[in-house]
Amino acid sequence: MAFKDLREFIEELESRGLLRRIKTEVDAELEITEITDRVSKMEGEKNVALLFENVKGYDMPVLMNAFGSMERMSIALGVESLDEIADDLRDFMRLPKISLANKMDLVTLIPKMRKAVNFPKYVKKAPCQEVVEMDNPSLDILPILKCWPEDGGPFITLPLVFTKNPETGKRNVGMYRLQKYDKNTTGMHWHIHKNGAENFRAAQEQGKDRIEVAVAIGTDPVLTYAATAPLPRDIDEMVFAGFLRHKSVELVKCKTVDIEVPATSEIVLEGYVLESERRREGPFGDHTGYYSLADDYPVFHITCITHRKNPIYPATIVGKPPMEDCFLAKATERIFLPLLQQMVPEIVDINMPLEGVFHDCCVVSIKKTYPMQARRVMHAIWGMGQMMFCKMIIVVDAHVNVQDMKEVWWRVFNNIDAKYDLEMVEGPLDVLDHSSPMAKWGTKLGIDATKSWPEEGHTREWPDEIVMTDEVKARVDAKWRELELG
């Protein structure tokens, strides 16, 4: 199902027993983080979304950990399993091949295409503009969290940042943290690789001294996810959200900037970023589990704040995994697998372990049909958008379950020869990576843990794996209950 707004999503979580309302007074400075961090690391029924209804000094409730499990992530995207979305994407990618041979296929798939391509709808009246603060807009009304002790200040951590390319007018939506400096300015933490930063640079190249920005906080969960998705440069995140929810996203024009935002957002910040202004931003306790260092970033000036009546303020915290952001990343892993397979057809499956914080480790299984194919796959992955940041790629054979890291490590520890099976390359690293002596680039490692072939220089006989026969397995299966071994 497609939720019309954040409130419907909250109601659904609560009806399933997946949300707890916290009525005890809590502090937005550090306390909410500590509570949420403990809950996010619990397992089973104890790991729930949290709605803090009594935040010290504020009228707004704070929603935390809403995406913090695979179950809640699937509910957020309206599916039983994230693989359903991957299957829809596979069907959609087949559509351009129009010929008599696949005419019957098209009869089946065209209705799906109509559902898939749901372009945004524009409305003139919207819930997100029920209250308009234009004369003296102040961030002080928002319960912005200070997440970790050494953070440079309070940060807005779940914002959808809307900008337009000044040359093409195309919309981009990204998720960049915003450090609150005072009641009407924040930092704008867009990394140099991000599309928001590209739009900013394009405005500079045109001689413009500013770029307009709008920030939506508290959208329906599909839109929030779409802002985190690693889409190609010119793919509109709101069109992608329409594909995911099988329903168009309603957008409304802002009051003071020429940007449209989701009509059912809880809160919208409008304003601009100046070309000439930088301010110290950070440190910030980041998803790596370490503090990202302070640096100079552009400043977001707020000209207007609009919001719903009785708005809800959603936020997230990041730090040592597992945390809520891990499941947003896992959704991307599953949803974008078909696109990866289209570009590298030999890929069977992929796993980006939570401990690798999305960009430090990627395990991929392949159908190996020629020598050195694992090397080819490594370099292909490093050449794909944000996958260029991946610091370690492990390649295994097709039959290996990449979701079972115990099996993966067994293969790595037993299959590699350090001289022949390690591939080291230099290239871009994530801005947040602190391990390299050089900022933004360093050395990356590829590990070929596939079975080595004679053509690859392994002339010794490769032993068979130890596997029980199917006949004996079936006999023991039949006796298992009688054995009372669990």
Side-chain angles (χ1 to χ4, degrees):
M1 63 178 287
F3 298 103
K4 70 178 182 182
D5 56 20
L6 180 66
R7 300 177 184 204
E8 273 197 354
F9 179 46
I10 290 172
E11 290 172 5
E12 180 67 19
L13 293 180
E14 190 165 27
S15 71
R16 297 188 186 211
L18 299 175
L19 178 138
R20 298 288 184 273
R21 293 178 180 267
I22 309 299
K23 301 187 182 299
T24 302
E25 184 182 74
V26 294
D27 201 318
E29 183 167 334
L30 303 182
E31 274 192 5
I32 287 180
T33 293
E34 178 62 16
I35 295 166
T36 307
D37 187 31
R38 293 187 189 189
V39 172
S40 69
K41 289 177 170 54
M42 292 178 177
E43 296 182 358
E45 296 178 356
K46 293 182 178 180
N47 182 353
V48 293
L50 301 169
L51 187 63
F52 294 95
E53 297 183 318
N54 187 5
V55 182
K56 184 179 179 181
Y58 297 96
D59 296 328
M60 292 185 199
V62 175
L63 177 68
M64 301 291 291
N65 204 35
F67 300 101
S69 71
M70 290 303 286
E71 180 182 12
R72 296 201 294 283
M73 195 70 240
S74 296
I75 294 170
L77 298 182
V79 293
E80 292 295 320
S81 166
L82 296 175
D83 289 332
E84 292 177 30
I85 302 174
D87 290 340
D88 282 348
L89 193 56
R90 286 189 181 92
D91 286 347
F92 185 70
M93 289 190 301
R94 291 165 57 197
L95 288 174
K97 299 177 182 178
I98 301 174
S99 67
L100 291 175
N102 62 8
K103 185 176 179 181
M104 294 306 295
D105 238 3
L106 289 171
V107 171
T108 304
L109 295 175
I110 283 174
K112 289 189 177 184
M113 185 176 183
R114 287 174 180 161
K115 288 183 179 180
V117 185
N118 289 294
F119 293 99
K121 293 181 179 178
Y122 298 93
V123 299
K124 293 184 177 179
K125 190 174 181 181
C128 70
Q129 295 176 345
E130 290 173 339
V131 179
V132 179
E133 305 285 350
M134 197 181 303
D135 294 333
N136 188 27
S138 175
L139 290 170
D140 292 342
I141 64 172
L142 305 182
I144 302 173
L145 306 185
K146 182 177 180 182
C147 300
W148 298 104
E150 295 180 30
D151 282 358
F155 284 82
I156 299 173
T157 53
L158 210 58
L160 279 66
V161 179
F162 286 72
T163 59
K164 287 183 179 179
N165 185 307
E167 296 174 355
T168 65
K170 290 184 177 180
R171 173 174 39 241
N172 176 259
V173 189
M175 188 168 287
Y176 319 120
R177 73 187 190 226
L178 308 173
Q179 180 180 341
K180 178 185 174 184
Y181 294 135
D182 52 45
K183 70 176 186 178
N184 50 30
T185 61
T186 77
M188 181 58 71
H189 189 90
W190 46 36
H191 293 171
I192 59 173
H193 307 103
K194 302 297 184 180
N195 291 337
E198 288 183 12
N199 288 345
F200 184 48
R201 290 193 295 272
Q204 292 174 303
E205 290 169 1
Q206 289 190 350
K208 297 178 180 178
D209 67 343
R210 67 177 62 191
I211 184 172
E212 292 185 331
V213 178
V215 176
I217 303 171
T219 63
D220 99 55
V222 171
L223 274 61
T224 300
Y225 168 71
T228 73
L231 298 176
R233 177 73 176 91
D234 291 324
I235 301 296
D236 187 337
E237 286 80 5
M238 296 299 97
V239 174
F240 180 61
F243 165 80
L244 293 177
R245 68 205 298 269
H246 301 296
K247 189 176 181 181
S248 296
V249 177
E250 289 191 347
L251 300 175
V252 66
K253 190 171 182 178
C254 290
K255 296 292 186 179
T256 62
V257 295
D258 185 22
I259 295 177
E260 297 81 20
V261 291
T264 60
S265 304
E266 293 291 320
I267 304 155
V268 176
L269 313 178
E270 303 177 12
Y272 60 89
V273 174
L274 288 175
E275 182 275 331
S276 58
E277 186 179 13
R278 298 288 189 279
R279 199 177 298 180
R280 206 67 173 170
E281 192 264 7
F284 177 71
D286 229 313
H287 70 271
T288 59
Y290 296 87
Y291 286 96
S292 56
L293 303 179
D295 204 349
D296 292 336
Y297 277 88
V299 179
F300 176 43
H301 292 261
I302 294 164
T303 56
C304 180
I305 297 177
T306 70
H307 59 81
R308 301 181 68 153
K309 294 176 181 177
N310 304 312
I312 298 166
Y313 179 81
T316 190
I317 56 165
V318 293
K320 296 174 184 175
M323 279 191 168
E324 181 176 21
D325 57 329
C326 294
F327 299 98
L328 288 161
K330 273 294 175 184
T332 293
E333 173 196 293
R334 303 325 301 162
I335 292 170
F336 284 83
L337 176 60
L339 292 176
L340 198 63
Q341 291 171 323
Q342 185 181 50
M343 292 181 280
V344 190
E346 58 262 55
I347 290 179
V348 176
D349 198 6
I350 186 173
N351 177 24
M352 303 185 79
L354 304 187
E355 295 79 7
V357 297
F358 325 148
H359 49 69
D360 282 350
C361 183
C362 171
V363 185
V364 58
S365 55
I366 65 168
K367 296 176 182 176
K368 186 173 176 179
T369 56
Y370 55 83
M372 304 298 284
Q373 191 171 5
R375 300 306 209 280
R376 182 261 176 183
V377 170
M378 293 171 194
H379 288 277
I381 291 174
W382 278 321
M384 292 179 189
Q386 293 187 41
M387 296 297 285
M388 66 180 171
F389 300 132
C390 193
K391 197 157 61 171
M392 178 186 295
I393 297 176
I394 301 171
V395 185
V396 295
D397 288 301
H399 65 283
V400 178
N401 178 11
V402 296
Q403 307 303 327
D404 182 352
M405 286 305 296
K406 290 183 179 179
E407 180 178 0
V408 170
W409 289 126
W410 174 67
R411 304 276 176 183
V412 171
F413 298 153
N414 283 275
N415 283 3
I416 72 160
D417 179 277
K419 182 176 181 179
Y420 297 103
D421 295 322
L422 303 182
E423 180 91 344
M424 290 191 179
V425 300
E426 291 182 342
L429 291 177
D430 190 272
V431 173
L432 302 178
D433 192 296
H434 62 273
S435 63
S436 174
M438 292 72 64
K440 305 182 184 70
W441 71 277
T443 304
K444 296 178 279 193
L445 174 66
I447 301 176
D448 180 359
T450 62
K451 177 181 177 179
S452 294
W453 290 9
E455 297 94 324
E456 296 173 318
H458 192 88
T459 55
R460 295 176 60 202
E461 181 181 1
W462 193 276
D464 293 332
E465 291 181 28
I466 301 171
V467 180
M468 185 52 69
T469 65
D470 291 338
E471 186 269 335
V472 172
K473 286 182 179 180
R475 292 203 327 252
V476 172
D477 286 344
K479 296 178 180 179
W480 194 253
R481 182 174 297 180
E482 181 183 345
L483 296 172
E484 298 182 353
L485 294 175

